[in-house]
Amino acid sequence: MTATSSDARSRTRQAGLPWSALLALGTAVFITSLTETLPAGVLPDMSASLGTSSGATGQAVTVYAAGTALTAIPLATATASVRRKPLLLGAMAVFLVANTLTAAAPGYIVLLAGRFLAGVAAGLAWAILAGYARRIAPARLEGRAIAVAMTGIPVALSLGVPAGTLIGEQVGWRAAFGVVSLVTLAVIGWIGVSVPGVGQRAVEQADSNRPDSAPQPVKSPLLQTLQVPGVAAIMVTVTTFVLGHTILYAYIAPYLQHAGLGSATDAVLLVFGVACLVSVWYVGRHVDHRLRALMVTGAVLFTLATAALAVTTTHAIVWGAAVLWGLGWGGAPTLLQTAAGQAGLRRSSAAADTAQAVLVTLWNAAMALGGIVGGLLLQRSGATVVAVAAAALGALSVLIVAGARHHAFRTSQATP
């Protein structure tokens, strides 16, 4: 049975991208990403329904991120030997239960409990998904497969949250979360039907055949992974890039009000979202052969956009900066996930999975910290300083990527 499964998987990897499976994984990324920030779009309705302040209700986002950040690495390490498909289905089932609990929460404490559990399940799913996409794709198209799976993140930010907000405005916040649960149920069935199983035996065999693999002394999987050349630089880049983005994105409405474009916030975000989708498409087509160039370009575009926002509020420049920002940011999840996976694979598939879990943890920690830091800067120094901080972090990201040329963000080489 194992040999048959391995042969089938090999034929799948040789034939081309398994589109149905990758789209199922991408939809799983979409709904778990959407749910993280959905409370921001329905905050007034949630606060009124639960009898809490907007500040307290807003902690539903923080709790979700905390659940992901605190548990992604331990759960990924503890489940390293578990077959990927049952593990993914289990994580999505827990997410379904937790999100449904959120939708039906009778009070604030139950809401927070549901959000924390949903964050835990999403963190485990995110730690699995990029590696899963890589394993079921042809060897030379692994980056493109990750791009398809990770498309759900920018789509959720650019289109999903506004759609969820519209549903919440029309029929209430509980209905918005209820729709997410229905979609989750459908995705679980989709994954069950279309996503092939990935066992550990084939992974171990691939690791044993890896030319630069070698027996390692017994130490924690996390420490082993962080010691792989390039992984630490990638993780620092994740932290600085995501922190810089979140500091500004979380407070883009106050910035646009400061720039005299408060009434056009939705339109500016739509332009940003469309640019993100263009970036996702382009990165997906070229990530396997131009990883370093794309990562440098993305960081530079983000830095230029935020620097422009820091020095002027001229409306035409603000609109143009929104486009540059989207082009620089949209492909970032794909590029960073691909880089982390490639670096970890130089040690083993388990190290690649651990690297993905570390990335998920740092990503969510940076998002949570970005909200705090951005809020403090906005309150104490104003919207312009928020943009200055984002630009400084963007510039730091450029320097890290450029300086880590020997081990991190390496373009994959075609194999004969």
Side-chain angles (χ1 to χ4, degrees), residues 2-413:
T2 302
T4 301
S5 174
S6 178
D7 292 343
R9 185 164 53 253
S10 297
R11 288 192 297 270
T12 298
R13 287 177 61 88
Q14 293 171 4
L17 288 179
W19 284 103
S20 181
L22 291 175
L23 290 174
L25 298 180
T27 308
V29 172
F30 170 76
I31 55 177
T32 49
S33 299
L34 164 65
T35 309
E36 180 169 21
T37 54
L38 183 57
V42 294
L43 198 60
D45 190 19
M46 290 182 71
S47 298
S49 172
L50 297 169
T52 55
S53 67
S54 294
T57 308
Q59 298 310 304
V61 177
T62 304
V63 167
Y64 189 104
T68 297
L70 292 173
T71 62
I73 294 175
L75 285 178
T77 301
T79 58
S81 61
V82 179
R83 293 179 64 86
R84 302 290 92 180
K85 186 170 182 176
L87 183 60
L88 178 58
L89 288 172
M92 294 305 297
V94 173
F95 176 81
L96 171 62
V97 171
N99 189 75
T100 304
L101 178 63
T102 300
Y108 182 64
I109 299 302
V110 175
L111 175 80
L112 293 184
R115 292 288 294 171
F116 183 83
L117 183 59
V120 171
L124 178 57
W126 288 341
I128 297 170
L129 284 164
Y132 211 138
R134 185 187 70 245
R135 287 171 176 168
I136 64 176
R140 300 185 199 183
L141 296 176
E142 291 176 349
R144 188 174 299 182
I146 294 174
V148 175
M150 293 297 109
T151 300
I153 294 177
V155 172
L157 289 174
S158 58
L159 302 179
V161 172
T165 302
L166 179 62
I167 294 174
E169 291 175 348
Q170 298 299 317
V171 293
W173 69 271
R174 295 184 188 275
F177 281 96
V179 169
V180 171
S181 289
L182 291 176
V183 175
T184 303
L185 185 61
V187 169
I188 290 174
W190 190 0
I191 292 173
V193 170
S194 67
V195 177
V198 177
Q200 290 303 108
R201 182 169 300 181
V203 173
E204 292 167 359
Q205 181 64 36
D207 290 341
S208 67
N209 294 334
R210 199 176 305 282
D212 51 354
S213 65
Q216 300 297 326
V218 177
K219 60 181 72 171
S220 77
L222 176 59
L223 183 58
Q224 285 188 26
T225 300
L226 291 177
Q227 289 178 341
V228 175
V231 169
I234 292 166
M235 297 309 162
V236 175
T237 305
V238 169
T239 304
T240 56
F241 205 179
V242 175
L243 181 60
H245 166 78
T246 306
I247 282 175
L248 185 56
Y249 185 82
Y251 299 97
I252 190 61
Y255 175 86
L256 292 175
Q257 288 180 339
H258 164 71
L261 285 169
S263 61
T265 298
D266 290 346
V268 172
L269 289 178
L270 179 60
V271 167
F272 167 80
V274 171
C276 280
L277 295 180
V278 172
S279 176
V280 169
W281 169 80
Y282 187 84
V283 166
R285 289 181 61 87
H286 299 284
V287 62
D288 289 299
H289 306 291
R290 302 180 61 191
L291 175 60
R292 168 171 292 280
L294 289 170
M295 190 67 234
V296 171
T297 300
V300 168
L301 289 176
F302 173 80
T303 304
L304 290 176
T306 50
L309 295 175
V311 300
T312 182
T313 57
T314 303
H315 289 186
I317 294 180
V318 171
W319 284 98
V323 174
L324 292 181
W325 183 5
L327 292 175
W329 171 255
T334 296
L335 294 167
L336 294 168
Q337 291 271 15
T338 302
Q342 286 183 356
L345 276 173
R346 291 198 286 272
R347 174 66 53 83
S348 66
S349 293
D353 288 344
T354 301
Q356 302 290 356
V358 174
L359 185 149
V360 168
T361 298
L362 292 176
W363 190 290
N364 283 273
M367 288 184 65
L369 182 60
I372 296 171
V373 172
L376 291 174
L377 290 175
L378 180 66
Q379 182 177 5
R380 296 181 179 181
S381 303
T384 298
V385 176
V386 173
V388 170
L393 288 163
L396 181 58
S397 300
V398 174
L399 293 176
I400 295 169
V401 176
R405 65 175 58 252
H406 296 297
H407 299 294
F409 305 102
R410 287 164 53 179
T411 297
S412 61
Q413 300 296 322

